[in-house]
Every structure is written in C-alpha cells, then in structure tokens.
Amino acid sequence: MKFKTMKQTLSVALAERTYPIHIGAGLLDQTALLLAHLKHKRVAIVSNTTVAPLYLERVAQPLREAGVDVVEIILPDGEQYKNSEILNTIYDALIQARCERTTTLIALGGGVIGDLTGYAAATYLRGVPFIQIPTTLLSQVDSSVGGKTGINHPQGKNMIGAFYQPQLVLIDTETLKTLPQRELSAGIAEVIKYGLIRDADFFDWLEINMEKLMALDETTVSGAVYRSCQNKAEVVAADEREAGERALLNLGHTFGHAIENAMGYGVWLHGEAVAAGTLMAADLSLRMGWLKLEDVQRIKAIFHAAELKQQPPALGVDQYLDLMGLDKKVQDGKIRLVLQQAIGESVMTSDYNVDALRETLTL
Ligand code: NAD
Ligand code: GLY
C-alpha cells in the first residue's frame, strides 16, 4: 500500500546547475521523481549494509519495472570507512559493471554514503550525474544539499574532496522512523545550527517544538527539515564555494572535527562533536563579551533537550590547537573560527583572544 504524501519542494538556485529538493513522507515510493532526472536508463545505487536491507529494494524494484538497469553497490557501514580504500571499491564496482558517463550514481544512506558517492560521481570518468536520497536527519538537513563531497584522511576530516552538486535531493522523512535515537539527536545538532547562525525565529520555534521533533511528529519533522534545507539552499546559492557566508555553516565544526579525529572516526558521531564544538564556540564568544550568559544558557538547554553530549573531551590545549590547525578555513597559518554575536547572528573571524581560546579548550 502506498502512503498518502504531502510533498514540498525547494530549489537550490545555481544557474544551469539548479536542482530541486523534494521533502515529504513516503517519497521513496514516488519513482517518477527519480525517473524525471535520469537522462539514461542506468543507475548505480550506493548504500551500506544497514540501509540497503531497509530501503534499497523499495527504490530499486520500481526503477527496474520502469526499464532502468540498476547496479547495486553495498559498502560497510561507518565513518571509519569514509576513506580512499572504500572509495576505490566504488570505482572497482563501477568499472566492473561497465558504467558509462551517462550512468547516474544514487546515494542511498546518511552523510557518509552521500559524501563518498558524491566524490565518486565527481571523479569517475571525470564526472557522472548524481542523486542524493538521504536517510538520516543529519543528511536530510545538511550533507545532501550543497555539493560538498569527499573522504577523510587519517590526519584530518574531509581533507580530500570536491564541490559537486547533485541533480536532485529526494528526502523521505519516513525513513527517520528506523533511525537510532542517538543518530536522530546528532542530526538535531545541525538543525539547531541554522537557528544559531542566521535564523533566530527558527531557534525560538525549535525551543518550543523540541519534544515533538524528538518524538518524530510528522508535521514537526517536515517543518524542521524544510526550514533547515531552506536556510542551507539560500547560503549555498549565495556562496557555493565557501568564499564567505557558507563558512558560517561550520559553526562548531573546527572544534568538532578535532574531537572526531582525536577520538577516532566514528567514536563520537559527527553531530555530537558539532554540538560540543558549538558550545565551545559559545563559551569563547561569551569570554569575548559578544554573547550574553543567558544566550549561552539557552544554547546549553536546547542541546540538553535534544539529548546531546555537552562536555568536550579533555584532549589538552596542544592537541586541540594542532588538530584545529588542519581546518580548511585556516588562512596564513591562523585558525579562523565561527563565533556568535547573538542567537541568530554569527561571524567568521581570526580576531579573537588566543588566551581566551586556550581557556575554552580546557573546559
Ligand atoms: P552516517 O552516514 O554514518 O549515518 C549514521 C548511521 O545511521 C549509520 O550507521 C547508517 O548506516 C545509519 N542509517 C542511515 N539511515 C538510516 C535509517 N533510515 N535507518 C536506520 N539507520 C540508518 O552519518 P550521518 O550523521 O548521516 O552523516 C555524517 C557524515 O556526514 C560525516 O562524515 C560528516 O562529515 C558528513 N557531513 C557532510 C556534510 C556535507 O556538506 N557534505 C555536512 C555535514 C556532515
Ligand atoms: N556542512 C557545511 C557546508 O555544507 O558548507
């Protein structure tokens, strides 16, 4: 039986590379939305050992019935596999199946699958079409939109990659029903991020609706996904290659990437590390006199309501600074950070007090 669905559509406005984001419950069954973006009737669906048993046939079978040849590529599950070795196994499978320049790669999974598949699509035969079907909250509100693709390097998160936009982002919010609670919380960290960096009204709305969001109330989930994607689409349309405003989407990430790397990829979830990093950014903003104590308390309270870890690991100042020095925003050797001036207002700056930063790193 098909679900009754309400579809909402946004657009990422990038001239000739403009693409839609469809959001709704049950959209996995709307195969016509996929078919509309296939220039040729051949696709390679990349997924993992957790997501494939849940959703792959639901996508693949109707495509086959519509005459599409479907290659399936199933990867091991985990952040620790977002690396060059696993990327190579995607190339191996594509070559083995004689996939051509007209074969569309479909990423079916969370941000790890999306980033890997997107980078494979950017590089295989110097670029093939690609579609995102994100199945975690984090990937639905952030990683599937905007064309950042890539892999980790043992020395640093997301150090190798490309900007490469998908043709379509297809978001079925019902897939979140199978997501573990810890992963849901991790995704909410990136939802809160939009409120903090540029959308104070959304932050207020999240404070009121967090319980319903955590309970996966359908209207609340689709509202949060829509507003997050709207924020992301606006930022990406204005600054696709992160020359300016897009860097604000990295709130908490310079600290967070250091945590992910130091703890071992996959030990802290990306969203968990971003949440702890966002609190470190708030702490430094407070020390700089930019953010009020009551705002820091609101930020702590909302992460608490989303059941997110708050206490950063005690890596020591030197390890933090060493790892943060690998961040892609480093310029002329100086770590640039996204900090807060208020809830809904953020700035990227290297103009902070280094002693205050050292104090934040010993939180
Ligand atoms: P993930 O891809 O590891 O998925 C989390 C877990 O949920 C995995 O075990 C996955 O198999 C499982 N899963 C996925 N969908 C499921 C479902 N519907 N039901 C049950 N289980 C499901 O992690 P993530 O949080 O989605 O993404 C994190 C990654 O995204 C990181 O590598 C991060 O660097 C990257 N990222 C990229 C961007 C970007 O702009 N490209 C932005 C933010 C994060
Ligand atoms: N997740 C950060 C960005 O897409 O720019």
Side-chain angles (χ1 to χ4, degrees), residues 20 35 43 52 67 87 165 187 199 220 249 285 355 360:
L35 290 171
V43 301
L87 177 69
Q165 300 294 341
D199 193 347
T220 312
L249 296 174
S285 305
D355 290 335
T360 292

Side-chain angles (χ1 to χ4, degrees), residues 53-304:
L54 294 168
Y55 299 114
L56 195 144
E57 279 317 303
R58 205 162 135 206
V59 176
Q61 187 55 30
L63 284 173
R64 287 196 195 96
E65 284 165 13
V68 177
D69 179 34
V70 180
V71 176
E72 297 178 4
I73 303 173
I74 315 295
L75 306 178
D77 181 11
E79 179 74 35
Q80 66 274 33
Y81 298 111
K82 195 174 119 177
N83 59 29
S84 55
E85 199 184 321
I86 296 299
L87 177 69
N88 242 336
T89 67
I90 304 181
Y91 298 137
D92 291 345
L94 294 172
I95 295 167
Q96 177 76 29
R98 298 279 187 268
C99 290
E100 301 174 354
R101 271 203 170 140
T102 51
T103 303
T104 296
L105 263 57
I106 300 180
L108 176 68
V112 168
I113 288 295
D115 282 10
L116 270 163
T117 308
Y119 191 51
T123 47
Y124 180 65
L125 302 178
R126 299 199 181 90
V128 296
F130 135 74
I131 287 174
Q132 289 269 21
I133 307 184
T135 62
T136 62
L137 181 63
L138 186 140
S139 56
Q140 295 184 353
V141 299
D142 191 354
S143 63
S144 64
V145 176
K148 277 192 184 175
T149 72
I151 55 172
N152 300 326
H153 185 276
Q155 289 175 51
K157 258 294 276 185
N158 295 337
M159 292 301 282
I160 321 290
F163 287 99
Y164 193 69
Q165 300 294 341
Q167 318 273 309
L168 161 72
V169 181
L170 185 68
I171 299 177
D172 184 342
T173 49
E174 281 198 336
T175 59
L176 302 181
K177 289 189 176 156
T178 54
L179 197 63
Q181 187 69 38
R182 187 179 165 201
E183 298 289 351
L184 182 71
S185 291
I188 292 176
E190 301 277 22
V191 174
I192 293 168
K193 172 183 82 176
Y194 295 110
L196 287 174
I197 61 171
R198 73 194 298 275
D199 193 347
D201 288 347
F202 186 35
F203 188 88
D204 295 347
W205 182 88
L206 284 167
E207 283 183 319
I208 295 163
N209 288 287
M210 187 54 74
E211 209 175 311
K212 285 202 266 176
L213 183 56
M214 291 286 281
L216 287 183
D217 168 71
E218 179 48 39
T219 314
T220 312
V221 171
S222 48
V225 173
Y226 185 89
R227 185 74 167 237
S228 300
C229 286
Q230 194 173 32
N231 271 294
K232 178 115 192 213
E234 282 172 13
V235 172
V236 169
D239 179 23
E240 183 184 10
R241 298 231 158 197
E242 203 166 294
E245 187 188 357
R246 185 165 182 172
L248 300 180
L249 296 174
N250 283 308
L251 174 66
H253 284 57
T254 307
F255 300 101
H257 284 167
I259 293 171
E260 282 184 84
N261 187 331
M263 302 306 284
Y265 295 131
V267 175
W268 275 56
L269 301 182
H270 177 70
E272 292 172 340
V274 166
T278 299
L279 282 164
M280 294 170 91
D283 179 77
L284 180 53
S285 305
L286 175 70
R287 287 176 199 276
M288 293 299 296
W290 297 341
L291 201 58
K292 292 188 288 217
L293 181 60
E294 69 211 55
D295 288 335
V296 177
Q297 280 160 349
R298 282 177 75 192
I299 299 170
K300 284 186 177 161
I302 202 166
F303 283 132
H304 181 73

